[in-house]
Amino acid sequence: MEVIKLGPGFAAEIRGVGMAEVAADEAVYTAVRAVFEEHSVLVFRRQPITDELQLAYSKRFGPLETAKAASRGEGTQFSILTNVEPDGSLVKPGHKEELRARANQLWHTDSCFKIPPALASVLSARTIPTHGGETEFVSMRNTWQRLSPELRARLDGACAWHDYAHSRGKIAPHLASERERSVMPPVSWRMRWRNPVNGRDALYIASHTYAIDGLSREDSLRLIDELTALATQPEQIYQHRWQAGDVVMWDNRATMHRGRPWPEDQPRYMIRTTITATDADGLAGMWPQRSAA
Ligand code: OGA
Ligand code: MN
């Protein structure tokens, strides 16, 4: 196995082993898992991807999430991100899937609004546009290190609130349906996720984050905006330009990502599986600390 570094202090391509070997072989899985813990974003090129292979690979890393209420793939372990209708036509501007794609273009980590949240996401390119539609990543470990010591100490004990409806509301007021709101109420987590394998800390925020305990709503939103701006400075970004057969896996504990726009007259079809975090992934340390009443 060869590990080729890609981004500014994180992200790596794996060569020499493919996803099928990870799925089939415990020793290969262990080696790739170590690269995942170290580099946060893994790129596999030219994979013979099928739904079965994506499932078998993803399940190695832990239990899988069921796709969100009211999203394509609801009730299955596949989240489908596309502008292609089931009949093969492309969605019109203003269509729910187009609005969702725009919400995915806000910097975020997946499923911080869920209990439990996500360890990792595995995204496979099934149909890609000729240009545009890249996915960009930043390291929230690097971000943590770039905070001032004072701010780091403050955030170390802080808790923040996450709500799917908050990020959707930035795109269109009713993009999160009543049903989505009722099955995904706001949740809170610690703002610092410590990786139990290497002890490295990451700032845990996203487009979904709307409040920080102890701060007014206005001050919370201002701080979240400042932290997001710090995290996503251009030189901190790894941009993945998709090629046919690419699969990218990222650590939702330690990165943020966003999609980029693509020409609306071109199809893009991506399938994501999402791995749920467990206590062994450091989730045990993420529950909000509430002072006794
Ligand atoms: C995702 C996501 C962005 C993209 O799959 O979670 O945010 O580029 N994708 O499709
Ligand atoms: Mn996402």
Side-chain angles (χ1 to χ4, degrees), residues 134-151:
E134 303 89 353
T135 308
E136 295 185 335
F137 298 90
V138 291
S139 167
M140 298 307 276
R141 288 179 183 163
N142 292 353
T143 303
W144 186 259
Q145 289 308 320
R146 289 162 52 240
L147 297 172
S148 70
E150 297 73 32
L151 188 53

Side-chain angles (χ1 to χ4, degrees), residues 81 104 108 110 123 134-135 250 257-259 268 270 272:
L81 295 85
N104 271 334
H108 67 283
D110 294 329
L123 186 63
E134 303 89 353
T135 308
W250 61 86
H257 63 278
R258 67 171 179 179
R268 184 177 189 263
M270 312 289 282
R272 196 182 91 199

